[in-house]
Amino acid sequence: MVTHEGGIEWLVQKIRKLAKNTRSAELSIALLTLLTDAATANNTVAIIIAGPVAKEISKDFRVDPRRSASLLDTFSCVMQGFIPYGAQILIAAGLTKELGAQAIAPVQLIPFLWYQGFLLLFALASIFFRFGNPKDAWDFEKDAPVAAQK
């Protein structure tokens, strides 16, 4: 419904305007993934929706496609873990009732989501602080790693 009514396209247009350089392009890929995952509540669907746009952004701002794919995957995992209507949280909340305890609301689990918090922190740190480069650079003209061309 969101795609049919133009909501995803509107979101894509707004986020694309944020990209000005490599770092902001990576942040826009991350933001696009976070928001599409929140809208769809499904990692795979969010990546399928955000993937083509992320590919365009990575070509325009020379973000390594392997890095772009990593950002898509990482930020979809972050959002999927945080949303209280996602499968993981609903299952965890449902298990509390199965264990004989009083059932808790999915929102009550959010303060205990350490993994997602640290994943978000380190993913953002990887955008702002470069820890290293891939062993082989990406050739954007041939759309392949430089090492693969030798």
Side-chain angles (χ1 to χ4, degrees), residues 14 17-18 22-23 25 39 50 59-60 63 66 69-70 109 129 145 147:
K14 295 295 182 190
K17 291 179 184 178
L18 299 175
T22 303
R23 185 169 288 138
K59 279 185 180 179
D60 292 347
V63 174
R66 298 165 291 191
S70 177
L109 292 173
F129 307 105

Side-chain angles (χ1 to χ4, degrees), residues 33-47 72-91 110 113 115-116 119:
T33 307
L34 288 168
L35 293 175
T36 53
D37 193 87
T40 62
N42 186 301
N43 292 40
T44 306
V45 174
I47 291 170
L72 282 166
D73 182 50
T74 303
F75 283 95
S76 71
C77 288
V78 166
M79 183 54 77
Q80 188 63 37
F82 274 130
I83 55 176
Y85 48 87
Q88 294 84 345
I89 297 289
L90 292 175
I91 289 170
I110 291 175
L113 301 176
Y115 171 76
Q116 287 81 5
L119 186 59

Side-chain angles (χ1 to χ4, degrees), residues 114-148:
W114 291 88
Y115 171 76
Q116 287 81 5
F118 281 119
L119 186 59
L120 177 63
L121 178 71
F122 283 101
L124 288 173
S126 79
I127 292 173
F128 289 105
F129 307 105
R130 297 289 178 211
F131 297 114
N133 293 318
K135 292 180 182 177
D136 50 344
W138 193 263
D139 184 346
F140 287 90
E141 300 299 319
K142 296 181 182 173
D143 202 25
V146 173

